[in-house]
Amino acid sequence: MSTRPFDIAGSPLFVAEGIFAAEIVEECRRQGLLAGAYALRRPRGATFVRRLARDLAEQRKAPRVLVRRGLTLLRSEPAVLRRQTGLGAEAARAGEVLRRVAGLLAGHPHRP
């Protein structure tokens, strides 16, 4: 894993997203920067279908490979979510995350 500095001075908040975002939760908390940390909880079947449709449209690999890879990811998704929550992210649906971020921007942080 590589690192690089970035400056958030003057920003009301920053959002880190993606599968590795949970990796920085503890450090952000330690530095007093953490307003919230969320791991998206989505219906696994819908994620499988969206991912497969995207990958097929982009012709990333042979369809058989994409289906096999998609099924592997489908089965591993609960473990990924457990790992992210273990690193300090809270599992939440996309709509809830959007509401909470909007609240943070409005100056009304979510209080668990």
Side-chain angles (χ1 to χ4, degrees):
M1 184 184 308
S2 66
T3 62
R4 67 178 184 184
F6 65 100
D7 185 5
I8 59 170
S11 299
L13 76 128
F14 78 94
V15 175
E17 70 83 25
I19 192 140
F20 298 111
E23 302 289 338
I24 66 170
V25 168
E26 187 54 41
E27 182 62 20
C28 288
R29 181 178 285 122
R30 190 184 70 71
Q31 292 190 28
L33 299 173
L34 188 67
Y38 310 104
L40 286 181
R41 180 177 38 215
R42 293 184 167 163
R44 292 187 313 154
T47 300
F48 170 79
V49 170
R50 276 194 306 270
R51 181 184 294 126
L52 183 60
R54 178 200 66 202
D55 292 348
L56 287 170
E58 294 176 5
Q59 298 179 344
R60 293 178 173 217
K61 291 183 174 66
R64 177 181 287 159
V65 172
L66 294 174
V67 170
R68 190 170 47 239
R69 176 182 172 268
L71 290 171
T72 299
L73 291 171
L74 176 82
R75 287 189 290 273
S76 68
E77 200 167 313
V80 170
L81 189 59
R82 278 193 306 276
R83 183 172 188 285
Q84 291 173 327
T85 56
L87 289 169
E90 178 185 346
R93 295 203 178 271
E96 180 63 20
V97 172
L98 291 173
R99 282 190 293 281
R100 291 179 185 186
V101 170
L104 290 168
L105 285 170
H108 301 46
H110 165 71
R111 302 281 184 221

